[in-house]
Amino acid sequence: METQTHTTTDRHGYSLRFSPFESNHMLLATSQLYGLAGGGSLFLLAQSSLDEVNSQNLTELCRLEWSDGLFDVAWCPYAADIAATASGDGSLQIWSGLDAESALTEQTPKQPLLCLQEHKNEIYSLDWGEKWNYHTLLSASWDCTLKLWDCNRQNSITTFVGHNDLIYCAK
């Protein structure tokens, strides 16, 4: 099996997630300057079919930009074209149009559907609550808190405090 690659010029990858709906689609969250400064990009990529000859690259279907670095991405467990990203400005973004049809017809919105902002520092990790509630997200931040979000609301449901240092993972 040949390795497929995709170069993200001036971006450094932080999180890669395969689609639970389309086995050949994936999202890549990236940041400029190793996440220390600059913006972030979310790439929707497609793997080549196994029967395509001499194809070693992933195909970039679309690229969405955010003003700060993107550190994590999670597909929505109930909608094939929706995902959330976690960024260095302490916000979560909910994106739509992350499917091949929208990307190929240039119908993918360039701005997120929703931006959730309460953390005071970088959000380094997020997890979509497919096990407990399809409308909830959990975020882990460098402000030493975890937040549980309801996507139907503009604010968090609860904040978990008590950590004395940076939190790197939410599950």
Side-chain angles (χ1 to χ4, degrees):
M1 177 184 224
E2 294 185 39
T3 302
Q4 295 184 359
T5 62
H6 180 74
T7 301
T8 56
T9 305
D10 298 326
R11 295 290 189 267
H12 303 96
Y14 272 88
S15 180
L16 177 71
R17 299 284 184 258
F18 283 88
S19 168
F21 301 97
E22 298 289 334
S23 61
N24 67 326
H25 288 174
M26 61 194 82
L27 289 172
L28 174 63
T30 66
S31 296
Q32 285 180 303
L33 301 170
Y34 302 99
L36 298 174
S41 300
L42 178 64
F43 294 88
L44 174 61
L45 304 173
Q47 281 183 302
S48 302
S49 300
L50 294 176
D51 60 348
E52 292 181 31
V53 180
N54 298 325
S55 181
Q56 295 182 338
N57 294 324
L58 298 168
T59 302
E60 183 179 310
L61 299 178
C62 74
R63 176 180 175 163
L64 301 170
E65 301 297 331
W66 190 246
S67 58
D68 211 312
L70 298 177
F71 295 124
D72 201 7
V73 62
W75 287 95
C76 176
Y78 61 88
D81 69 330
I82 295 177
T85 51
S87 69
D89 62 5
S91 69
L92 294 169
Q93 304 78 34
I94 311 293
W95 304 89
S96 67
L98 298 170
D99 60 315
E101 183 178 340
S102 294
L104 293 173
T105 59
E106 297 183 13
Q107 298 298 312
T108 301
K110 299 301 180 195
Q111 297 296 317
L113 284 175
L114 185 63
C115 184
L116 305 170
Q117 174 89 48
E118 285 184 20
H119 283 290
K120 294 175 179 43
N121 289 77
E122 293 91 332
I123 300 175
Y124 203 73
S125 178
L126 67 97
D127 190 35
W128 210 299
E130 63 183 283
K131 300 284 191 257
W132 62 89
N133 183 332
Y134 286 117
H135 296 278
T136 57
L137 287 163
L138 182 67
S139 59
S141 174
W142 288 2
D143 65 7
C144 305
T145 67
L146 292 155
K147 287 188 179 282
L148 185 63
W149 303 86
D150 183 335
C151 295
N152 296 320
R153 299 168 50 159
Q154 290 290 318
N155 53 346
S156 64
I157 299 168
T158 190
T159 300
F160 301 97
V161 297
H163 286 85
N164 294 323
D165 215 335
L166 309 178
I167 305 173
Y168 282 93
C169 189
K171 284 284 182 200

